[in-house]
Amino acid sequence: MQKRTLGKTNLFVSLLGVGGIPLQRFDEKNALDILRAALENGVNFVDTAKAYTKSEALIGYALEKLGRDNFFIASKSKSRDYASMKNDILTSLEALRTDHIELYQCHCVASDEEIEKIFSEDGAYKALLEAKAEGKISHIGFSAHKPEIAEKLIKTDKFDTVQYAYNYIEVKGKEVFELAKQHGMGTIVMKPMCGGAVRNRELSLRYIAKCEYVDVMIPGVDDDKQLLQNVSYVEKAEIPFTDEELSLINKEVELLGHNFCRKCDYCQPCPNQINISNVLMLDGYYTRYDLKDWAKDRYDDSVERCVECGECETRCPYELPIREMLKAAHERMKH
Ligand code: SF4
Ligand code: SF4
């Protein structure tokens, strides 16, 4: 497995990592099988989050069996204030059964207000710096979905890594990663299969593996067999795409190009306080990650408040049929 240096962290990470979202629907044995397959195939980077329910705990269980030092662990928290971030780091350490985490990230930073809060006197960044000084975490990163927010955070020069969505449908990540590289940062690709929207896993992973501005990609997997397949795809990075493969990619770009939510929140505000991107994100987990119960538990029936005014659709840069999509999501997840 090809390895790359994760920017200024100097961690020598495998180009393929393991994404922690799908682990939530597994038990200890499945998690252990996946991480054992990872270890046996040179995959040494595992990304999780406090928000991914039992994902950290399952990884912690597997780490204890397989040897903590065989992996670099990245986790993250959506806390923006000092006290909650401090508490989240401790909770993550406990769940992961370790005394240190190589990379801890501000998860899903989405607005200028959040950036301000993170860097305020009692902000999350202070807790991250303290944890770093105490040896609880080694490096600080962030994840974001909006290019302008990612770019702003990169330019602070206060982070070691950026985690951003990238694949042949979502190509905006290229500019984000190239800027991050100019700032010496490590680059982590989330949603390498576009949250499950890309159907051809091999082409998607090979496409990303060819990009020199990517250090590690973190697809989630259903089981150890899928992880082995991913390894074989990433190892084919050097093989050029055939005309047929390029045409398959182009076809998929055309097909998916406008038909899924990118969580940019440009559609807000909804006069009826419907968190549109959140509902569509949960629906994506329901339909693509097969996390039906997980998604349904978190869905609050808020689409019942939709009066179909269509205001949101006039603001969506991707021209999504939001009303139609919300109705379909509600039908699947309503209580
Ligand atoms: S159509 Fe529904 S979701 Fe969109 S702005 Fe109007 S009430 Fe909100
Ligand atoms: S519905 Fe459109 S505007 Fe709203 S978050 Fe999704 S992609 Fe962005």
Side-chain angles (χ1 to χ4, degrees):
M1 170 58 58
Q2 193 185 141
K3 292 200 169 65
R4 296 183 182 177
T5 303
L6 187 62
K8 53 189 159 184
T9 70
N10 281 327
L11 301 174
F12 200 42
V13 298
S14 48
L15 179 52
L16 178 71
V18 179
I21 290 180
L23 288 176
Q24 294 172 96
R25 57 173 200 268
F26 302 146
D27 60 19
E28 289 180 341
K29 184 186 175 306
N30 304 131
L32 183 59
D33 287 347
I34 289 169
L35 289 201
R36 183 180 289 117
L39 179 60
E40 288 171 358
N41 288 277
V43 173
N44 66 1
F45 186 84
V46 182
D47 181 86
T48 180
K50 190 163 174 303
Y52 303 162
T53 62
K54 61 181 182 174
S55 171
E56 285 184 325
L58 290 179
I59 292 167
Y61 169 81
L63 290 181
E64 210 167 67
K65 302 275 176 211
L66 299 171
R68 165 69 184 90
D69 293 340
N70 287 318
F71 294 94
F72 297 128
I73 301 298
S75 192
K76 47 195 175 307
S77 152
K78 288 184 178 163
S79 289
R80 305 296 183 236
D81 67 274
Y82 170 80
S84 332
M85 180 58 90
K86 193 176 165 86
N87 188 51
D88 283 354
I89 294 169
L90 293 176
T91 313
S92 293
L93 284 165
E94 193 181 340
L96 287 160
R97 305 189 194 189
T98 184
D99 60 1
H100 71 285
I101 297 169
E102 279 80 11
L103 175 65
Y104 211 80
Q105 303 152 101
C106 285
H107 189 174
C108 204
V109 184
S111 66
D112 287 340
E113 292 70 38
E114 289 181 36
I115 296 178
E116 210 172 297
K117 180 71 196 161
I118 287 166
F119 290 117
S120 67
E121 188 65 20
D122 73 334
Y125 195 75
K126 186 177 156 193
L128 289 161
L129 283 181
E130 270 183 24
K132 191 173 168 184
E134 291 162 4
K136 292 186 170 80
I137 63 172
S138 311
H139 305 283
I140 301 171
F142 74 85
S143 71
H145 291 94
K146 302 179 193 174
E148 69 276 17
I149 294 293
E151 282 162 19
K152 200 170 269 187
L153 289 168
I154 289 168
K155 287 177 182 168
T156 64
D157 280 320
K158 289 181 183 297
F159 295 95
D160 302 313
T161 62
V162 50
Q163 184 173 147
Y164 199 83
Y166 183 61
N167 50 68
Y168 52 66
I169 312 284
E170 302 262 54
V171 290
K172 279 201 176 132
K174 179 175 190 282
E175 285 158 40
V176 170
F177 289 147
E178 284 180 338
L179 180 67
K181 282 291 160 204
Q182 285 167 25
H183 288 253
M185 295 170 69
T187 54
I188 304 167
V189 170
M190 65 165 142
K191 301 189 174 55
M193 258 90 71
C194 214
V198 167
R199 283 170 305 174
N200 194 319
R201 207 151 30 91
E202 169 169 351
L203 295 185
S204 193
L205 297 190
R206 276 173 59 201
Y207 178 92
I208 297 164
K210 289 175 187 296
C211 303
E212 77 286 354
Y213 43 82
V214 167
D215 295 330
V216 52
M217 66 185 97
I218 47 168
V221 289
D222 288 338
D223 52 33
D224 50 336
K225 288 175 200 66
Q226 203 171 67
L227 186 121
L228 294 179
Q229 278 175 343
N230 287 353
V231 168
S232 71
Y233 300 151
V234 170
E235 283 178 346
K236 285 201 242 169
E238 304 302 323
I239 303 174
F241 287 128
T242 62
D243 287 347
E244 198 189 328
E245 287 169 336
L246 284 173
S247 129
L248 280 173
I249 290 175
N250 289 336
K251 233 184 244 167
E252 197 148 33
V253 171
E254 250 172 59
L255 193 77
L256 269 176
H258 290 285
N259 210 18
F260 60 96
C261 174
R262 277 85 162 172
K263 300 185 188 163
C264 60
D265 283 337
Y266 292 137
C267 49
Q268 293 293 349
C270 160
N272 292 307
Q273 289 82 44
I274 297 168
N275 187 336
I276 296 165
S277 62
N278 192 51
V279 174
L280 297 179
M281 182 266 293
L282 290 174
D283 193 43
Y285 287 151
Y286 185 101
T287 53
R288 296 178 194 134
Y289 285 122
D290 197 25
L291 284 165
K292 292 189 170 54
D293 292 341
W294 185 91
K296 201 169 166 170
D297 281 355
R298 282 160 181 77
Y299 176 56
D300 57 3
D301 288 322
S302 55
V303 176
E304 281 174 356
R305 297 197 297 273
C306 179
V307 292
E308 301 199 33
C309 66
E311 280 183 36
C312 52
E313 291 181 15
T314 65
R315 291 190 286 257
C316 176
Y318 304 103
E319 299 175 347
L320 294 181
I322 298 177
R323 287 170 287 187
E324 213 177 279
M325 290 169 79
L326 288 179
K327 261 200 256 173
H330 180 70
E331 275 312 305
R332 281 187 273 274
M333 300 189 291
K334 69 184 174 190
H335 296 98

